Amino acid sequence: DAKTTQPNSMESNEEEPVHLPCNHSTISGTDYIHWYRQLPSQGPEYVIHGLTSNVNNRMASLAIAEDRKSSTLILHRATLRDAAVYYCILKGGNQGGKLIFGQGTELSVKP
Amino acid sequence: NAGVMQNPRHLVRRRGQEARLRCSPMKGHSHVYWYRQLPEEGLKFMVYLQKENIIDESGMPKERFSAEFPKEGPSILRIQQVVRGDSAAYFCASSPPGQANSGANVLTFGAGSRLTVL
């Protein structure tokens, strides 16, 4: 399985944008880039996913590099409730339905 | 539309007892996944099931653990003769039919069942 590399932790100030990076240099052409997050004491929560083009939804934006070897999850205005572990995961069609989680980035948000 | 429902939310067992964790997928979802999260560790895939079939159990411990997803009723993760090392949060997720082999497949997770073995 193609692997992703994320910083262990990041800090942000409330109401400021947050850019969470993810490197995936061995991504294959059919791999989608997924982001999930896990708030303290809760189950993982889907955030966003994309293949080649940048994506926006009500939670976040996903910026995908032109060569697809990296991507960035953008939270436009961080709130205290965004403090969580954020996971960048590659999902291809040849691994069945499962997701393989790495260590993720622990985001802390300061008031 | 209720999400993925897991119960019990908290379960305490003594060493050697059995633990049964239940998961009801989202309405319309036919695929269920179980994950385990040990304290201060990441999420580890355990097993993936469709109705009445185990599709991928590559993450299941070889002994004491079993999972089923019957035609009727919730999926069950069963741990026999629990040991202290089984203390963890167990998360269930579900996804709709027809997408499992797509890279775009999105999983919806439940809130988890937290097992404590005394």
Side-chain angles (χ1 to χ4, degrees), chain B:
Chain B
N1 184 15
V4 177
M5 304 301 293
Q6 291 190 247
N7 66 82
R9 292 294 311 278
H10 300 275
L11 181 64
V12 179
R13 285 287 178 266
R14 296 191 181 279
R15 281 179 296 169
Q17 292 184 319
E18 179 178 287
R20 284 189 181 225
L21 309 177
R22 289 177 292 277
C23 169
S24 296
M26 281 189 70
K27 187 176 181 180
H29 285 192
S30 56
H31 299 244
V32 164
Y33 313 78
W34 285 95
Y35 287 79
R36 177 166 68 173
Q37 188 168 36
L38 295 167
E40 307 302 323
E41 293 192 16
L43 289 145
K44 300 297 183 189
F45 168 78
M46 299 180 75
V47 63
Y48 158 40
L49 311 99
Q50 294 179 26
K51 287 282 187 182
E52 300 185 281
N53 285 306
I54 296 175
I55 306 301
D56 181 351
E57 55 182 348
S58 58
M60 283 282 269
K62 293 288 183 268
E63 298 178 348
R64 301 188 296 107
F65 284 72
S66 62
E68 63 176 8
F69 188 16
K71 187 176 180 182
E72 302 290 338
S75 175
I76 307 286
L77 180 68
R78 181 183 179 206
I79 311 171
Q80 295 179 288
Q81 299 175 325
V82 296
V83 300
R84 288 215 174 108
D86 297 332
S87 295
Y90 292 83
F91 294 98
C92 170
S94 70
S95 68
Q99 293 188 19
N101 290 322
S102 163
N105 187 38
V106 171
L107 272 60
T108 302
F109 284 81
S113 292
R114 281 155 181 80
L115 172 65
T116 301
V117 180
L118 301 177

